[in-house]
Amino acid sequence: GGAPKKKFGGAAPAPSPPSKASVWEVVTDDDGSVYYYNTVTQQSQWERPAELDAGGAPSAGAAPPAASSEWEKVVDGQDVYYYNTRTQESQWERPPGFVG
């Protein structure tokens, strides 16, 4: 339940100046679940941030996300499957148009 908690081994790193690199880290917890951690706000979430797919801040002319954005890639040990966050269905096959 709830958002995952980021685990630090010692002191938190000092904030770095903004760069072209994303502020989001992809983190795998002890159960093998993937979540996303914002190094600036120190927030964590299960949903993949849109800026990771867009390669940075979305531009004014960016197209709306496709239906495939409802899908998440899930790595379970050596198995990989895809989970639809809206319908709560999962499948082995990569959804058409899935980016991730």
Side-chain angles (χ1 to χ4, degrees):
K5 304 290 185 225
K6 176 74 175 176
K7 300 179 186 88
F8 287 109
S16 58
S19 69
K20 289 186 177 183
S22 175
V23 298
W24 291 96
E25 289 182 7
V26 180
V27 184
T28 304
D29 70 12
D30 295 337
D31 297 326
S33 300
V34 174
Y35 66 91
Y36 303 90
Y37 176 74
N38 187 309
T39 58
V40 173
T41 65
Q42 298 186 357
Q43 296 292 314
S44 55
Q45 65 186 48
W46 295 111
E47 297 79 24
R48 181 178 176 88
E51 72 181 68
L52 289 181
D53 294 325
S59 65
S68 61
S69 65
E70 297 171 345
W71 290 92
E72 292 181 356
K73 180 178 180 180
V74 181
V75 179
D76 182 14
Q78 294 182 340
D79 296 325
V80 176
Y81 63 91
Y82 300 89
Y83 174 75
N84 187 306
T85 58
R86 183 177 59 83
T87 65
Q88 299 184 352
E89 65 181 312
S90 59
Q91 65 185 42
W92 295 111
E93 297 80 24
R94 182 185 185 104
F98 179 81
V99 178

